[in-house]
């Protein structure tokens, strides 16, 4: 069809990833008619090219590493991974890149799905161009929520376009193991994918422009991950930039700023993210295409009374769980404003104001060892002007760690605001520490006084007994 249709809804959501789905869920629960526009797969980046496939790839890698540290079990797991089985497991978790189940869920909440590319074409107006050639003009009575996420940002390098490099999408969806893989970057995507593909049989070379891995976390976290990657056979080169890339007879050749030529079968660039706002018609409402959206704590775009930017597009915290948190708040704020009530207050539940995406952002890096952090690092806290003290504990000193694995290596750091006697940041690095981070998140988000944390008694013998050791170290300093 080619005719133009015009349909009105209470709310229009651009993007059907986890963020858009959660906005739609909240607005529909409030009784607001809601249209959702998606140009790719319902479920978005997280479901098909990020969180789910990457963790499905990494789980067997980490489980094998843990098993190799357990007496009586290590000899049974010395062989290679069954890579086809791992990839099949990954495909299962992506539903083979089909979104039937997600569409069924969206239909179940009563939202209307429009497949196609949606652009803002005026105040409260979105024009959708469908694959069938049809144009539909949607108008919103109350709100339009931009939930289009982010994409991999590639550097401007000579020869890069002709190389067809991997981004996070190719790294999580590939069906063949490259014999040699260059990974450019030192952040979360870089270290997770280096961990996975090295375990699958690739010879991985990690090229890091900075001086260490995971630069936004405590230095010891990146040091432990780099040590483990090198022990697994990967090469980690810090202080190294790529100046050009070519593909010669099928082989990738990366040239570094030091003049070295490094050859591989594939090259992955994990060098940051950019907002998916370049072709959304932002110019039609006075905003700059390709920009991050500046929003207030209700996720409403600054200067607008109807446009919301939720999830990665606002650059507050580029993590799926934080985007879903924002979506719940945005949905509640839209519903409250649509009801015609007074300007929003932050109630006891904080239903209408996002704060955790600034002060208490948890993150887990699924490497071997795992890294988990929430709140401020020591350097960030000091830069922000807080009077803080950091206490460090060798995780191997905790009884539960030794039981978990022979030769357990790890470290914990707690950063305390000494003026208020509350925890403002915690970082763990070591096997299985991802399951420790929610307790730290509660301590940071709740601003629990150190004096009260003494009465949160950890079970013995578990790795969580590290909390007792951290508090003792703080007391004794």
């Amino acid at each position: 069809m080619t005719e133009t249709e015009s349909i009105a809804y209470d709310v229009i959501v651009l993007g059907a990833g986890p963020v858009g789905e959660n906005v739609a869920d909240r607005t529909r629960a409030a009784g607001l008619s809601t249209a959702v526009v998606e140009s790719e797969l319902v479920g978005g980046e997280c479901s098909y090219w990020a969180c789910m496939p990457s963790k499905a790839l990494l789980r067997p890698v980490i489980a094998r590493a843990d098993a190799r540290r357990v007496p009586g079990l290590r000899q049974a797991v010395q062989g290679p991974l069954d890579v086809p089985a791992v990839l099949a497991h990954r495909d299962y978790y992506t539903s083979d890149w089909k979104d039937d189940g997600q569409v069924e869920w969206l239909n179940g909440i009563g939202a209307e799905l429009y497949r196609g590319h949606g652009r803002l074409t005026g105040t409260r107006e979105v024009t959708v161009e469908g694959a069938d050639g049809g144009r539909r003009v949607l108008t919103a009575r109350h709100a339009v929520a931009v939930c289009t996420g982010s994409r991999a940002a590639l550097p401007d390098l000579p020869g890069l376009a002709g190389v067809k490099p991997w981004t996070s999408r190719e790294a999580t969806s590939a069906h063949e193991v490259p014999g040699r893989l260059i990974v450019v970057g030192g952040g979360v995507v870089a270290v997770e994918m280096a961990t996975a593909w090295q375990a699958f049989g690739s010879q991985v070379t990690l090229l890091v422009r900075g001086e260490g891995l995971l630069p936004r976390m405590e230095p010891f976290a990146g040091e432990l991950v780099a040590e483990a990657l090198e022990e697994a056979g990967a090469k980690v080169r810090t202080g190294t930039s790529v100046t050009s890339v070519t593909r010669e007879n099928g082989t990738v050749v990366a040239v570094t700023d030091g003049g070295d030529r490094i050859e591989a079968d594939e090259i992955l660039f994990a060098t940051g993210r950019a907002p998916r706002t370049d072709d959304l018609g932002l110019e039609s409402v006075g905003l700059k295409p390709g920009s991050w959206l500046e929003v207030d704590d209700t996720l409403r775009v600054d200067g607008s009374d109807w446009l919301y930017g939720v999830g990665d597009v606002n650059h507050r915290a580029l993590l799926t769980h934080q985007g879903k948190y924002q979506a719940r708040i945005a949905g509640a704020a839209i519903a409250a404003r649509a009801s015609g009530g007074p300007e929003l207050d932050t109630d006891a539940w904080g239903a209408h104001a996002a704060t955790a995406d600034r002060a208490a952002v948890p993150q887990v890096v699924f490497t071997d060892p795992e890294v988990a952090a929430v709140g401020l690092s020591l350097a960030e806290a000091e830069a922000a002007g807080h009077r803080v003290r950091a206490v460090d504990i060798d995780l191997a000193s905790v009884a539960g760690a030794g039981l978990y694995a022979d030769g357990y290596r790890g470290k914990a750091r707690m950063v305390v605001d000494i003026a208020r006697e509350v925890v403002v940041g915690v970082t763990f690095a070591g096997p299985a520490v991802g399951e420790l981070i929610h307790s730290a998140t509660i301590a940071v988000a709740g601003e629990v006084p150190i004096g009260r944390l003494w009465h949160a008694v950890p079970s013995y013998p578990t790795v969580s007994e590290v909390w007792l050791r951290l508090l003792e170290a703080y007391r004794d300093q």
Side-chain angles (χ1 to χ4, degrees), residues 143-201:
V144 175
V146 177
C147 310
T148 49
S150 63
R151 57 176 173 80
L154 289 171
D156 184 16
L157 281 179
L160 186 59
V163 169
K164 296 182 178 179
W166 281 10
T167 65
S168 53
R169 284 197 168 195
E170 290 76 19
T172 57
S173 63
H175 283 85
E176 300 291 335
V177 179
R180 299 162 298 173
L181 175 65
I182 297 171
V183 178
V184 182
V188 175
V189 172
V191 296
E192 286 189 347
M193 291 299 94
T195 297
W197 290 102
Q198 179 68 37
F200 299 157

Side-chain angles (χ1 to χ4, degrees), residues 72-400:
L73 182 58
R74 64 168 58 98
Q75 294 305 317
V77 290
Q78 289 303 311
L81 290 166
D82 182 344
V83 176
V86 174
L87 298 181
H89 179 65
R90 182 270 318 270
D91 294 351
Y92 169 79
Y93 270 94
T94 61
S95 301
D96 291 306
W97 291 273
K98 297 176 184 176
D99 63 1
D100 299 7
Q102 301 273 32
V103 171
E104 182 179 356
W105 177 87
L106 203 59
N107 291 336
I109 66 170
E112 190 76 24
L113 173 63
Y114 289 85
R115 289 193 183 274
H117 187 77
R119 294 181 182 85
L120 293 164
T121 47
T123 301
R124 295 187 177 85
E125 182 180 277
V126 173
T127 298
V128 184
E129 296 180 2
D132 60 0
R135 292 178 73 250
R136 298 166 176 86
V137 177
L138 312 180
T139 57
R141 298 183 187 93
H142 299 296
V144 175
V146 177
C147 310
T148 49
S150 63
R151 57 176 173 80
L154 289 171
D156 184 16
L157 281 179
L160 186 59
V163 169
K164 296 182 178 179
W166 281 10
T167 65
S168 53
R169 284 197 168 195
E170 290 76 19
T172 57
S173 63
H175 283 85
E176 300 291 335
V177 179
R180 299 162 298 173
L181 175 65
I182 297 171
V183 178
V184 182
V188 175
V189 172
V191 296
E192 286 189 347
M193 291 299 94
T195 297
W197 290 102
Q198 179 68 37
F200 299 157
S202 288
Q203 173 56 61
V204 172
T205 300
L206 199 60
L207 303 179
V208 186
R209 182 172 59 183
E211 295 308 311
L213 304 183
L214 303 175
R216 296 184 179 179
M217 294 185 170
E218 299 286 6
F220 67 79
E223 291 165 4
L224 285 167
V225 171
E227 183 179 318
L229 280 168
E230 290 177 328
E231 288 178 356
K235 299 176 182 177
V236 180
R237 296 181 54 172
T238 58
T240 301
S241 295
V242 176
T243 57
S244 68
V245 186
T246 56
R247 193 178 285 272
E248 303 172 5
N249 298 319
T251 298
V252 174
V253 179
V255 178
T256 72
D257 52 355
D260 295 332
R261 286 169 51 93
I262 302 172
E263 297 186 355
D265 300 287
E266 299 292 349
I267 185 167
L268 162 63
F269 279 86
T271 49
R273 307 289 295 179
R276 291 172 62 103
T277 60
D278 50 320
D279 192 19
L280 287 184
L282 292 182
E283 66 279 4
S284 71
V285 293
L287 298 172
K288 182 180 177 181
S291 64
W292 303 101
L293 299 180
E294 297 287 337
V295 299
D296 63 19
D297 284 349
T298 68
L299 291 312
R300 189 165 61 177
V301 173
D302 292 349
S304 174
D305 63 356
W306 59 273
L307 186 63
Y308 291 74
V310 194
D312 281 12
V313 292
N314 61 43
H315 208 234
R316 286 167 66 124
L318 277 66
L319 294 161
T320 297
H321 47 278
Q322 294 298 135
K324 291 166 69 175
Y325 160 76
Q326 291 180 4
R328 295 189 291 271
I329 288 168
I334 290 169
R337 288 181 171 126
S339 70
E343 187 58 24
L344 302 180
D345 293 322
T346 301
D347 60 20
W349 288 89
H352 304 136
T355 57
D357 53 9
R358 292 194 305 268
V361 178
Q363 183 171 20
V364 179
V365 186
F366 293 84
T367 45
D368 175 36
E370 286 183 349
V371 176
V374 64
L376 302 175
S377 68
L378 176 60
E380 289 171 336
E382 290 175 338
H386 298 293
R387 290 177 53 232
V388 291
R389 181 191 303 167
V391 291
D392 295 342
I393 291 293
D394 181 352
L395 275 168
S397 68
V398 178

